[in-house]
mmCIF file of all heavy atoms in Angstrom:
data_model
loop_
_atom_site.group_PDB
_atom_site.id
_atom_site.type_symbol
_atom_site.label_atom_id
_atom_site.label_comp_id
_atom_site.label_asym_id
_atom_site.label_seq_id
_atom_site.Cartn_x
_atom_site.Cartn_y
_atom_site.Cartn_z
ATOM 1 N N THR A 1 95.305 97.676 75.082
ATOM 2 C CA THR A 1 95.771 98.381 76.283
ATOM 3 C C THR A 1 97.294 98.494 76.231
ATOM 4 O O THR A 1 98.009 97.933 77.070
ATOM 5 C CB THR A 1 95.334 97.631 77.562
ATOM 6 O OG1 THR A 1 94.019 97.120 77.414
ATOM 7 C CG2 THR A 1 95.367 98.558 78.775
ATOM 8 N N PRO A 2 97.827 99.212 75.264
ATOM 9 C CA PRO A 2 99.288 99.228 75.078
ATOM 10 C C PRO A 2 100.058 99.825 76.246
ATOM 11 O O PRO A 2 100.993 99.206 76.772
ATOM 12 C CB PRO A 2 99.481 100.036 73.793
ATOM 13 C CG PRO A 2 98.218 100.820 73.621
ATOM 14 C CD PRO A 2 97.134 99.988 74.223
ATOM 15 N N GLY A 3 99.681 101.026 76.684
ATOM 16 C CA GLY A 3 100.381 101.651 77.796
ATOM 17 C C GLY A 3 100.168 100.902 79.098
ATOM 18 O O GLY A 3 101.096 100.742 79.898
ATOM 19 N N GLY A 4 98.949 100.449 79.310
ATOM 20 C CA GLY A 4 98.636 99.718 80.526
ATOM 21 C C GLY A 4 99.434 98.431 80.642
ATOM 22 O O GLY A 4 99.927 98.081 81.724
ATOM 23 N N ALA A 5 99.570 97.708 79.532
ATOM 24 C CA ALA A 5 100.333 96.459 79.556
ATOM 25 C C ALA A 5 101.789 96.722 79.935
ATOM 26 O O ALA A 5 102.394 95.972 80.716
ATOM 27 C CB ALA A 5 100.255 95.780 78.193
ATOM 28 N N ILE A 6 102.354 97.800 79.399
ATOM 29 C CA ILE A 6 103.741 98.161 79.723
ATOM 30 C C ILE A 6 103.871 98.491 81.210
ATOM 31 O O ILE A 6 104.801 98.042 81.891
ATOM 32 C CB ILE A 6 104.203 99.356 78.862
ATOM 33 C CG1 ILE A 6 104.301 98.939 77.392
ATOM 34 C CG2 ILE A 6 105.544 99.885 79.356
ATOM 35 C CD1 ILE A 6 104.539 100.105 76.448
ATOM 36 N N LEU A 7 102.934 99.261 81.739
ATOM 37 C CA LEU A 7 103.001 99.666 83.142
ATOM 38 C C LEU A 7 102.854 98.471 84.082
ATOM 39 O O LEU A 7 103.564 98.370 85.098
ATOM 40 C CB LEU A 7 101.934 100.717 83.440
ATOM 41 C CG LEU A 7 102.237 102.110 82.885
ATOM 42 C CD1 LEU A 7 101.006 103.003 82.965
ATOM 43 C CD2 LEU A 7 103.400 102.754 83.640
ATOM 44 N N TYR A 8 101.935 97.567 83.771
ATOM 45 C CA TYR A 8 101.773 96.376 84.612
ATOM 46 C C TYR A 8 103.044 95.528 84.605
ATOM 47 O O TYR A 8 103.483 95.028 85.647
ATOM 48 C CB TYR A 8 100.577 95.544 84.141
ATOM 49 C CG TYR A 8 99.301 95.830 84.889
ATOM 50 C CD1 TYR A 8 98.517 96.931 84.587
ATOM 51 C CD2 TYR A 8 98.867 94.987 85.913
ATOM 52 C CE1 TYR A 8 97.339 97.195 85.264
ATOM 53 C CE2 TYR A 8 97.688 95.229 86.599
ATOM 54 C CZ TYR A 8 96.925 96.343 86.272
ATOM 55 O OH TYR A 8 95.752 96.597 86.950
ATOM 56 N N LYS A 9 103.630 95.351 83.419
ATOM 57 C CA LYS A 9 104.857 94.563 83.312
ATOM 58 C C LYS A 9 105.984 95.219 84.109
ATOM 59 O O LYS A 9 106.674 94.554 84.902
ATOM 60 C CB LYS A 9 105.251 94.443 81.838
ATOM 61 C CG LYS A 9 106.613 93.794 81.587
ATOM 62 C CD LYS A 9 106.622 92.316 81.925
ATOM 63 C CE LYS A 9 107.950 91.682 81.519
ATOM 64 N NZ LYS A 9 107.999 90.236 81.870
ATOM 65 N N ALA A 10 106.181 96.519 83.908
ATOM 66 C CA ALA A 10 107.269 97.222 84.582
ATOM 67 C C ALA A 10 107.091 97.209 86.102
ATOM 68 O O ALA A 10 108.049 96.979 86.853
ATOM 69 C CB ALA A 10 107.355 98.660 84.072
ATOM 70 N N HIS A 11 105.881 97.441 86.552
ATOM 71 C CA HIS A 11 105.614 97.459 87.994
ATOM 72 C C HIS A 11 105.886 96.095 88.608
ATOM 73 O O HIS A 11 106.478 95.981 89.695
ATOM 74 C CB HIS A 11 104.161 97.878 88.239
ATOM 75 C CG HIS A 11 103.789 97.958 89.685
ATOM 76 N ND1 HIS A 11 103.164 96.915 90.345
ATOM 77 C CD2 HIS A 11 103.975 98.927 90.612
ATOM 78 C CE1 HIS A 11 102.966 97.260 91.604
ATOM 79 N NE2 HIS A 11 103.451 98.466 91.791
ATOM 80 N N SER A 12 105.476 95.047 87.907
ATOM 81 C CA SER A 12 105.700 93.685 88.395
ATOM 82 C C SER A 12 107.192 93.372 88.491
ATOM 83 O O SER A 12 107.653 92.766 89.470
ATOM 84 C CB SER A 12 105.012 92.688 87.461
ATOM 85 O OG SER A 12 105.282 91.351 87.844
ATOM 86 N N VAL A 13 107.946 93.791 87.483
ATOM 87 C CA VAL A 13 109.395 93.565 87.500
ATOM 88 C C VAL A 13 110.031 94.288 88.682
ATOM 89 O O VAL A 13 110.879 93.725 89.391
ATOM 90 C CB VAL A 13 110.029 94.029 86.170
ATOM 91 C CG1 VAL A 13 111.554 94.031 86.277
ATOM 92 C CG2 VAL A 13 109.593 93.121 85.023
ATOM 93 N N LEU A 14 109.649 95.529 88.918
ATOM 94 C CA LEU A 14 110.232 96.296 90.014
ATOM 95 C C LEU A 14 109.926 95.655 91.366
ATOM 96 O O LEU A 14 110.787 95.612 92.257
ATOM 97 C CB LEU A 14 109.719 97.736 89.979
ATOM 98 C CG LEU A 14 110.289 98.688 91.026
ATOM 99 C CD1 LEU A 14 111.810 98.765 90.929
ATOM 100 C CD2 LEU A 14 109.672 100.082 90.875
ATOM 101 N N GLU A 15 108.718 95.134 91.520
ATOM 102 C CA GLU A 15 108.345 94.498 92.790
ATOM 103 C C GLU A 15 109.225 93.284 93.095
ATOM 104 O O GLU A 15 109.450 92.961 94.265
ATOM 105 C CB GLU A 15 106.875 94.082 92.775
ATOM 106 C CG GLU A 15 105.911 95.222 92.998
ATOM 107 C CD GLU A 15 104.503 94.733 93.278
ATOM 108 O OE1 GLU A 15 104.067 93.756 92.616
ATOM 109 O OE2 GLU A 15 103.834 95.312 94.140
ATOM 110 N N THR A 16 109.746 92.607 92.065
ATOM 111 C CA THR A 16 110.552 91.409 92.317
ATOM 112 C C THR A 16 111.805 91.709 93.128
ATOM 113 O O THR A 16 112.308 90.825 93.840
ATOM 114 C CB THR A 16 110.960 90.712 90.996
ATOM 115 O OG1 THR A 16 111.817 91.584 90.235
ATOM 116 C CG2 THR A 16 109.759 90.308 90.179
ATOM 117 N N ILE A 17 112.319 92.935 93.041
ATOM 118 C CA ILE A 17 113.523 93.248 93.818
ATOM 119 C C ILE A 17 113.241 94.108 95.047
ATOM 120 O O ILE A 17 114.127 94.279 95.886
ATOM 121 C CB ILE A 17 114.613 93.925 92.948
ATOM 122 C CG1 ILE A 17 114.178 95.314 92.479
ATOM 123 C CG2 ILE A 17 114.994 93.045 91.769
ATOM 124 C CD1 ILE A 17 115.320 96.121 91.850
ATOM 125 N N CYS A 18 112.017 94.619 95.169
ATOM 126 C CA CYS A 18 111.710 95.566 96.255
ATOM 127 C C CYS A 18 110.799 95.004 97.345
ATOM 128 O O CYS A 18 110.712 95.589 98.429
ATOM 129 C CB CYS A 18 111.047 96.822 95.694
ATOM 130 S SG CYS A 18 112.089 97.783 94.600
ATOM 131 N N VAL A 19 110.097 93.928 97.071
ATOM 132 C CA VAL A 19 109.106 93.406 98.021
ATOM 133 C C VAL A 19 109.575 92.057 98.545
ATOM 134 O O VAL A 19 109.992 91.184 97.767
ATOM 135 C CB VAL A 19 107.719 93.271 97.347
ATOM 136 C CG1 VAL A 19 106.690 92.736 98.347
ATOM 137 C CG2 VAL A 19 107.264 94.616 96.781
ATOM 138 N N ASP A 20 109.504 91.874 99.863
ATOM 139 C CA ASP A 20 109.938 90.612 100.458
ATOM 140 C C ASP A 20 108.997 89.469 100.079
ATOM 141 O O ASP A 20 107.863 89.690 99.661
ATOM 142 C CB ASP A 20 110.011 90.748 101.983
ATOM 143 C CG ASP A 20 108.636 90.917 102.604
ATOM 144 O OD1 ASP A 20 108.131 92.067 102.618
ATOM 145 O OD2 ASP A 20 108.039 89.922 103.031
ATOM 146 N N ARG A 21 109.487 88.250 100.247
ATOM 147 C CA ARG A 21 108.776 87.072 99.777
ATOM 148 C C ARG A 21 107.380 86.932 100.378
ATOM 149 O O ARG A 21 106.393 86.741 99.645
ATOM 150 C CB ARG A 21 109.586 85.803 100.092
ATOM 151 C CG ARG A 21 108.915 84.517 99.610
ATOM 152 C CD ARG A 21 109.713 83.292 100.035
ATOM 153 N NE ARG A 21 109.739 83.161 101.489
ATOM 154 C CZ ARG A 21 110.494 82.270 102.140
ATOM 155 N NH1 ARG A 21 111.306 81.477 101.471
ATOM 156 N NH2 ARG A 21 110.454 82.203 103.459
ATOM 157 N N ASP A 22 107.251 87.007 101.705
ATOM 158 C CA ASP A 22 105.952 86.789 102.339
ATOM 159 C C ASP A 22 104.928 87.827 101.871
ATOM 160 O O ASP A 22 103.775 87.498 101.583
ATOM 161 C CB ASP A 22 106.082 86.845 103.864
ATOM 162 C CG ASP A 22 106.735 85.602 104.438
ATOM 163 O OD1 ASP A 22 106.938 84.635 103.681
ATOM 164 O OD2 ASP A 22 107.045 85.600 105.648
ATOM 165 N N THR A 23 105.359 89.087 101.813
ATOM 166 C CA THR A 23 104.443 90.150 101.385
ATOM 167 C C THR A 23 104.045 89.956 99.929
ATOM 168 O O THR A 23 102.869 90.103 99.573
ATOM 169 C CB THR A 23 105.095 91.529 101.571
ATOM 170 O OG1 THR A 23 105.453 91.697 102.943
ATOM 171 C CG2 THR A 23 104.142 92.641 101.160
ATOM 172 N N MET A 24 105.012 89.625 99.076
ATOM 173 C CA MET A 24 104.705 89.421 97.663
ATOM 174 C C MET A 24 103.711 88.288 97.466
ATOM 175 O O MET A 24 102.741 88.413 96.714
ATOM 176 C CB MET A 24 105.984 89.134 96.874
ATOM 177 C CG MET A 24 105.737 88.846 95.397
ATOM 178 S SD MET A 24 107.250 88.568 94.471
ATOM 179 C CE MET A 24 107.844 90.253 94.332
ATOM 180 N N HIS A 25 103.936 87.173 98.158
ATOM 181 C CA HIS A 25 103.041 86.026 97.982
ATOM 182 C C HIS A 25 101.639 86.327 98.498
ATOM 183 O O HIS A 25 100.647 85.909 97.894
ATOM 184 C CB HIS A 25 103.619 84.803 98.698
ATOM 185 C CG HIS A 25 104.825 84.238 98.010
ATOM 186 N ND1 HIS A 25 105.489 83.115 98.456
ATOM 187 C CD2 HIS A 25 105.489 84.639 96.891
ATOM 188 C CE1 HIS A 25 106.508 82.847 97.654
ATOM 189 N NE2 HIS A 25 106.525 83.767 96.702
ATOM 190 N N TYR A 26 101.554 87.052 99.611
ATOM 191 C CA TYR A 26 100.215 87.392 100.114
ATOM 192 C C TYR A 26 99.540 88.405 99.207
ATOM 193 O O TYR A 26 98.327 88.314 98.943
ATOM 194 C CB TYR A 26 100.280 87.929 101.544
ATOM 195 C CG TYR A 26 98.927 87.925 102.204
ATOM 196 C CD1 TYR A 26 98.410 86.753 102.740
ATOM 197 C CD2 TYR A 26 98.140 89.073 102.245
ATOM 198 C CE1 TYR A 26 97.141 86.728 103.318
ATOM 199 C CE2 TYR A 26 96.884 89.061 102.818
ATOM 200 C CZ TYR A 26 96.388 87.887 103.356
ATOM 201 O OH TYR A 26 95.136 87.870 103.900
ATOM 202 N N LYS A 27 100.304 89.357 98.702
ATOM 203 C CA LYS A 27 99.745 90.344 97.775
ATOM 204 C C LYS A 27 99.201 89.663 96.522
ATOM 205 O O LYS A 27 98.174 90.064 95.976
ATOM 206 C CB LYS A 27 100.817 91.373 97.404
ATOM 207 C CG LYS A 27 100.342 92.504 96.505
ATOM 208 C CD LYS A 27 101.418 93.576 96.416
ATOM 209 C CE LYS A 27 100.997 94.687 95.464
ATOM 210 N NZ LYS A 27 101.110 94.309 94.051
ATOM 211 N N GLU A 28 99.879 88.624 96.063
ATOM 212 C CA GLU A 28 99.403 87.877 94.900
ATOM 213 C C GLU A 28 98.080 87.172 95.183
ATOM 214 O O GLU A 28 97.298 86.919 94.265
ATOM 215 C CB GLU A 28 100.461 86.868 94.456
ATOM 216 C CG GLU A 28 101.675 87.512 93.799
ATOM 217 C CD GLU A 28 102.802 86.531 93.540
ATOM 218 O OE1 GLU A 28 102.747 85.390 94.072
ATOM 219 O OE2 GLU A 28 103.741 86.900 92.823
ATOM 220 N N LEU A 29 97.817 86.871 96.446
ATOM 221 C CA LEU A 29 96.545 86.244 96.817
ATOM 222 C C LEU A 29 95.390 87.238 96.757
ATOM 223 O O LEU A 29 94.276 86.880 96.363
ATOM 224 C CB LEU A 29 96.634 85.660 98.226
ATOM 225 C CG LEU A 29 97.524 84.436 98.432
ATOM 226 C CD1 LEU A 29 97.533 84.051 99.904
ATOM 227 C CD2 LEU A 29 97.045 83.261 97.581
ATOM 228 N N ILE A 30 95.645 88.481 97.166
ATOM 229 C CA ILE A 30 94.544 89.456 97.214
ATOM 230 C C ILE A 30 94.327 90.167 95.886
ATOM 231 O O ILE A 30 93.280 90.774 95.675
ATOM 232 C CB ILE A 30 94.725 90.470 98.365
ATOM 233 C CG1 ILE A 30 95.930 91.375 98.127
ATOM 234 C CG2 ILE A 30 94.829 89.752 99.701
ATOM 235 C CD1 ILE A 30 95.607 92.726 97.570
ATOM 236 N N ALA A 31 95.306 90.107 94.986
ATOM 237 C CA ALA A 31 95.173 90.800 93.701
ATOM 238 C C ALA A 31 93.940 90.362 92.910
ATOM 239 O O ALA A 31 93.200 91.216 92.387
ATOM 240 C CB ALA A 31 96.437 90.628 92.866
ATOM 241 N N PRO A 32 93.655 89.059 92.796
ATOM 242 C CA PRO A 32 92.434 88.663 92.074
ATOM 243 C C PRO A 32 91.158 89.177 92.739
ATOM 244 O O PRO A 32 90.191 89.509 92.047
ATOM 245 C CB PRO A 32 92.493 87.129 92.087
ATOM 246 C CG PRO A 32 93.923 86.797 92.294
ATOM 247 C CD PRO A 32 94.461 87.887 93.181
ATOM 248 N N LYS A 33 91.150 89.240 94.062
ATOM 249 C CA LYS A 33 89.974 89.761 94.762
ATOM 250 C C LYS A 33 89.807 91.248 94.498
ATOM 251 O O LYS A 33 88.693 91.733 94.280
ATOM 252 C CB LYS A 33 90.091 89.514 96.273
ATOM 253 C CG LYS A 33 88.827 89.904 97.049
ATOM 254 C CD LYS A 33 87.621 89.076 96.577
ATOM 255 C CE LYS A 33 86.342 89.469 97.283
ATOM 256 N NZ LYS A 33 85.203 88.662 96.806
ATOM 257 N N PHE A 34 90.911 91.978 94.488
ATOM 258 C CA PHE A 34 90.861 93.402 94.173
ATOM 259 C C PHE A 34 90.298 93.584 92.759
ATOM 260 O O PHE A 34 89.420 94.430 92.534
ATOM 261 C CB PHE A 34 92.269 94.006 94.279
ATOM 262 C CG PHE A 34 92.302 95.503 94.312
ATOM 263 C CD1 PHE A 34 92.605 96.184 95.494
ATOM 264 C CD2 PHE A 34 92.048 96.261 93.177
ATOM 265 C CE1 PHE A 34 92.650 97.573 95.536
ATOM 266 C CE2 PHE A 34 92.092 97.643 93.204
ATOM 267 C CZ PHE A 34 92.383 98.299 94.375
ATOM 268 N N ALA A 35 90.801 92.794 91.814
ATOM 269 C CA ALA A 35 90.324 92.882 90.430
ATOM 270 C C ALA A 35 88.834 92.560 90.336
ATOM 271 O O ALA A 35 88.090 93.212 89.600
ATOM 272 C CB ALA A 35 91.122 91.927 89.543
ATOM 273 N N GLU A 36 88.403 91.566 91.086
ATOM 274 C CA GLU A 36 86.992 91.188 91.084
ATOM 275 C C GLU A 36 86.119 92.316 91.620
ATOM 276 O O GLU A 36 85.055 92.624 91.061
ATOM 277 C CB GLU A 36 86.808 89.930 91.939
ATOM 278 C CG GLU A 36 85.421 89.321 91.892
ATOM 279 C CD GLU A 36 85.339 88.070 92.737
ATOM 280 O OE1 GLU A 36 85.173 88.197 93.979
ATOM 281 O OE2 GLU A 36 85.455 86.965 92.178
ATOM 282 N N LEU A 37 86.554 92.967 92.680
ATOM 283 C CA LEU A 37 85.802 94.093 93.238
ATOM 284 C C LEU A 37 85.672 95.218 92.210
ATOM 285 O O LEU A 37 84.611 95.821 92.049
ATOM 286 C CB LEU A 37 86.473 94.610 94.501
ATOM 287 C CG LEU A 37 86.432 93.700 95.729
ATOM 288 C CD1 LEU A 37 87.321 94.253 96.831
ATOM 289 C CD2 LEU A 37 85.004 93.523 96.230
ATOM 290 N N VAL A 38 86.772 95.519 91.521
ATOM 291 C CA VAL A 38 86.739 96.568 90.498
ATOM 292 C C VAL A 38 85.808 96.156 89.362
ATOM 293 O O VAL A 38 84.973 96.946 88.907
ATOM 294 C CB VAL A 38 88.158 96.848 89.954
ATOM 295 C CG1 VAL A 38 88.105 97.865 88.817
ATOM 296 C CG2 VAL A 38 89.064 97.350 91.062
ATOM 297 N N TYR A 39 85.941 94.932 88.905
ATOM 298 C CA TYR A 39 85.121 94.434 87.798
ATOM 299 C C TYR A 39 83.635 94.465 88.155
ATOM 300 O O TYR A 39 82.785 94.780 87.320
ATOM 301 C CB TYR A 39 85.546 93.007 87.451
ATOM 302 C CG TYR A 39 84.936 92.457 86.178
ATOM 303 C CD1 TYR A 39 85.510 92.718 84.935
ATOM 304 C CD2 TYR A 39 83.786 91.670 86.211
ATOM 305 C CE1 TYR A 39 84.963 92.209 83.767
ATOM 306 C CE2 TYR A 39 83.228 91.162 85.049
ATOM 307 C CZ TYR A 39 83.818 91.432 83.826
ATOM 308 O OH TYR A 39 83.258 90.932 82.673
ATOM 309 N N TYR A 40 83.324 94.141 89.407
ATOM 310 C CA TYR A 40 81.933 94.094 89.860
ATOM 311 C C TYR A 40 81.367 95.471 90.196
ATOM 312 O O TYR A 40 80.202 95.582 90.571
ATOM 313 C CB TYR A 40 81.810 93.200 91.095
ATOM 314 C CG TYR A 40 82.005 91.721 90.838
ATOM 315 C CD1 TYR A 40 82.044 90.816 91.889
ATOM 316 C CD2 TYR A 40 82.160 91.212 89.551
ATOM 317 C CE1 TYR A 40 82.224 89.451 91.669
ATOM 318 C CE2 TYR A 40 82.350 89.860 89.333
ATOM 319 C CZ TYR A 40 82.383 88.981 90.393
ATOM 320 O OH TYR A 40 82.569 87.648 90.175
ATOM 321 N N GLY A 41 82.183 96.510 90.110
ATOM 322 C CA GLY A 41 81.684 97.856 90.408
ATOM 323 C C GLY A 41 81.669 98.207 91.879
ATOM 324 O O GLY A 41 81.030 99.178 92.287
ATOM 325 N N LYS A 42 82.398 97.445 92.690
ATOM 326 C CA LYS A 42 82.395 97.674 94.138
ATOM 327 C C LYS A 42 83.576 98.539 94.566
ATOM 328 O O LYS A 42 84.291 98.225 95.523
ATOM 329 C CB LYS A 42 82.428 96.329 94.871
ATOM 330 C CG LYS A 42 81.165 95.505 94.702
ATOM 331 C CD LYS A 42 81.222 94.238 95.546
ATOM 332 C CE LYS A 42 79.911 93.492 95.534
ATOM 333 N NZ LYS A 42 79.946 92.281 96.400
ATOM 334 N N TRP A 43 83.767 99.660 93.843
ATOM 335 C CA TRP A 43 84.889 100.537 94.173
ATOM 336 C C TRP A 43 84.677 101.218 95.517
ATOM 337 O O TRP A 43 85.563 101.257 96.361
ATOM 338 C CB TRP A 43 85.100 101.581 93.076
ATOM 339 C CG TRP A 43 86.332 102.382 93.316
ATOM 340 C CD1 TRP A 43 86.441 103.569 93.996
ATOM 341 C CD2 TRP A 43 87.664 102.030 92.930
ATOM 342 N NE1 TRP A 43 87.754 103.980 94.042
ATOM 343 C CE2 TRP A 43 88.527 103.053 93.394
ATOM 344 C CE3 TRP A 43 88.216 100.949 92.230
ATOM 345 C CZ2 TRP A 43 89.909 103.018 93.189
ATOM 346 C CZ3 TRP A 43 89.586 100.922 92.019
ATOM 347 C CH2 TRP A 43 90.407 101.946 92.493
ATOM 348 N N PHE A 44 83.495 101.766 95.723
ATOM 349 C CA PHE A 44 83.213 102.513 96.956
ATOM 350 C C PHE A 44 82.664 101.570 98.027
ATOM 351 O O PHE A 44 81.516 101.673 98.456
ATOM 352 C CB PHE A 44 82.250 103.655 96.654
ATOM 353 C CG PHE A 44 82.826 104.678 95.719
ATOM 354 C CD1 PHE A 44 82.451 104.704 94.382
ATOM 355 C CD2 PHE A 44 83.764 105.602 96.157
ATOM 356 C CE1 PHE A 44 82.988 105.634 93.507
ATOM 357 C CE2 PHE A 44 84.310 106.537 95.291
ATOM 358 C CZ PHE A 44 83.926 106.548 93.961
ATOM 359 N N THR A 45 83.527 100.634 98.438
ATOM 360 C CA THR A 45 83.139 99.662 99.462
ATOM 361 C C THR A 45 84.254 99.549 100.497
ATOM 362 O O THR A 45 85.428 99.809 100.199
ATOM 363 C CB THR A 45 82.885 98.269 98.852
ATOM 364 O OG1 THR A 45 84.087 97.809 98.208
ATOM 365 C CG2 THR A 45 81.751 98.312 97.839
ATOM 366 N N PRO A 46 83.914 99.139 101.716
ATOM 367 C CA PRO A 46 84.931 99.004 102.769
ATOM 368 C C PRO A 46 86.044 98.028 102.401
ATOM 369 O O PRO A 46 87.212 98.277 102.720
ATOM 370 C CB PRO A 46 84.124 98.504 103.976
ATOM 371 C CG PRO A 46 82.738 98.990 103.733
ATOM 372 C CD PRO A 46 82.545 98.927 102.246
#
């Protein structure tokens, strides 16, 4: 996943200066759940 790895890295770096601490930390909590939903095929879910 060459392009994808670059995009994830770059996006993460940009967030370090643009997103406040509380939002960043909470977003890091929901990211694994989002990934799990995608992995499980639950894209079209509430």
Side-chain angles (χ1 to χ4, degrees):
T1 321
I6 293 171
L7 286 168
Y8 265 80
K9 173 69 174 179
H11 181 264
S12 176
V13 170
L14 183 58
E15 282 193 320
T16 64
I17 67 169
C18 296
V19 180
D20 68 277
R21 181 184 65 188
D22 285 351
T23 302
M24 177 178 284
H25 288 182
Y26 196 80
K27 183 170 177 284
E28 288 172 348
L29 290 177
I30 67 99
K33 186 61 182 180
F34 194 108
E36 187 179 81
L37 291 171
V38 176
Y39 190 85
Y40 290 174
K42 292 185 173 182
W43 187 268
F44 296 103
T45 60

